[in-house]
Amino acid sequence: AQKITQTQPGMFVQEKEAVTLDCTYDTSDPSYGLFWYKQPSSGEMIFLIYQGSYDQQNATEGRYSLNFQKARKSANLVISASQLGDSAMYFCAMSFYNQGGKLIFGQGTELSVKP
Amino acid sequence: SQTIHQWPATLVQPVGSPLSLECTVEGTSNPNLYWYRQAAGRGLQLLFYSIGIGQISSEVPQNLSASRPQDRQFILSSKKLLLSDSGFYLCAWEDLTDREQETQYFGPGTRLLVL
C-alpha cells in the first residue's frame, strides 16, 4: 500500500535555529516524487520543495532542504534559520508518474517557532 | 505567471441544499486540475481530477460530482449536501511543463460548513 507517515503532530523550535520534520513513506513503485507543502492558518497550501525518486542529490530551495534517504524510505524536511513566519502546518506528500498525478498526503506536523 | 482562483471563500449551507464551488486557472493552458478535501486537523484527500475538458476521474465514492466545462475551469457540485460534506475544499493545477516533477499548485480554498 502507498502511504505517507508523519509521526510528529507538533514541533517547537527557537527562532534562528534549524528544525527537522520527519516523513517516511511506503511504496513498491520505483518511480515517485516527494513533496513538502506549508499550510499557514489562512489555509492555502504552499509548495516548498520536490525530490524525485531517481535524484542523486538532496533537493534544496533557499532555507529548505530535503534529507532523502531512499533505502530507509524517508524524506525529512530541514528548515534552517527558523523565522516566526515559518509557524504553520507542514505536509509531506507523494505522487506517482503513472497515476494521473494523484498526491497522497501525510497527516501533517504543526510547527511553532518561538521568539 | 499562473494564478488559481476559488470561490466562494466561505460557505454555510443547510443539509439537503445544492452546492457549486468554482475553480479557475489563469496563465496556463490544458492543465491537469484536481479537487481535494481536507477534514479538520487532517491531510488532504483527492476527490476528482481532470486531464482535459469533459474528462473527470473520481477517486472516492461520494455525494459530490465534478465537471470541467472549459479548459481552465473546474467545478465541484452536489445535488443534496450531507453533514459529512463539511470541510476545506482545495483546487489545484499541475504544471505539465516539467514532465518529471509534476508539481501541483493550490488555490486559496473554500471552507464549507453544512448545518
Side-chain angles (χ1 to χ4, degrees):
Chain A
Q2 298 161 340
K3 186 179 179 182
I4 291 274
T5 302
Q6 294 180 254
T7 58
Q8 307 154 314
M11 291 276 288
F12 288 92
V13 65
Q14 204 69 35
E15 191 179 10
K16 299 181 184 178
E17 293 186 350
V19 63
T20 297
L21 307 184
D22 295 341
C23 172
T24 58
Y25 59 92
D26 186 18
T27 181
S28 57
D29 195 316
S31 298
Y32 50 88
L34 294 160
F35 301 80
W36 277 92
Y37 286 87
K38 172 184 178 181
Q39 187 178 39
S41 57
S42 62
E44 186 173 359
M45 296 288 282
I46 302 168
F47 166 70
L48 296 178
I49 196 166
Y50 163 85
Q51 179 86 41
S53 59
Y54 295 115
D55 292 343
Q56 296 294 317
Q57 294 186 329
N58 288 342
T60 59
E61 289 285 350
R63 293 186 299 112
Y64 305 107
S65 61
L66 200 152
N67 184 2
F68 181 46
Q69 298 186 44
K70 193 170 183 177
R72 297 181 58 189
K73 294 187 176 179
S74 74
N76 298 339
L77 176 70
V78 180
I79 305 175
S80 63
S82 296
Q83 302 172 356
L84 295 178
D86 293 335
S87 294
M89 285 288 291
Y90 288 81
F91 290 94
C92 182
M94 181 167 58
S95 71
F96 302 88
Y97 304 130
N98 60 351
Q99 294 187 19
K102 170 184 176 180
L103 278 175
I104 299 171
F105 282 83
Q107 293 302 302
T109 295
E110 184 172 8
L111 177 66
S112 298
V113 180
K114 298 191 286 185
Chain B
S1 64
Q2 301 88 354
T3 56
I4 180 169
H5 304 278
Q6 286 186 246
W7 63 89
T10 305
L11 193 59
V12 181
Q13 291 285 99
V15 169
S17 64
L19 174 74
S20 180
L21 303 181
E22 190 163 344
C23 169
T24 59
V25 183
E26 296 177 358
T28 187
S29 58
N30 196 31
N32 285 354
L33 296 173
Y34 303 84
W35 277 112
Y36 291 86
R37 177 169 59 201
Q38 183 180 29
R42 299 182 67 84
L44 277 66
Q45 180 186 37
L46 179 64
L47 301 176
F48 301 95
Y49 70 94
S50 171
I51 62 172
I53 295 174
Q55 301 179 69
I56 309 295
S57 296
S58 174
E59 283 295 304
V60 293
Q62 58 207 315
N63 184 42
L64 303 168
S65 62
S67 62
R68 186 169 177 175
Q70 301 179 42
D71 180 44
R72 289 170 288 180
Q73 184 184 31
F74 204 22
I75 297 173
L76 184 69
S77 304
S78 174
K79 292 182 179 178
K80 289 186 178 182
L81 283 169
L82 307 172
L83 289 174
S84 57
D85 291 324
S86 294
F88 188 49
Y89 290 82
L90 287 150
C91 180
W93 71 276
E94 184 176 23
D95 184 354
L96 298 179
T97 58
D98 184 340
R99 290 305 306 172
E100 291 194 0
Q101 182 159 329
E102 300 183 337
T103 299
Q104 292 183 26
Y105 297 93
F106 288 80
T110 294
R111 296 191 186 278
L112 172 65
L113 179 60
V114 182
L115 300 174

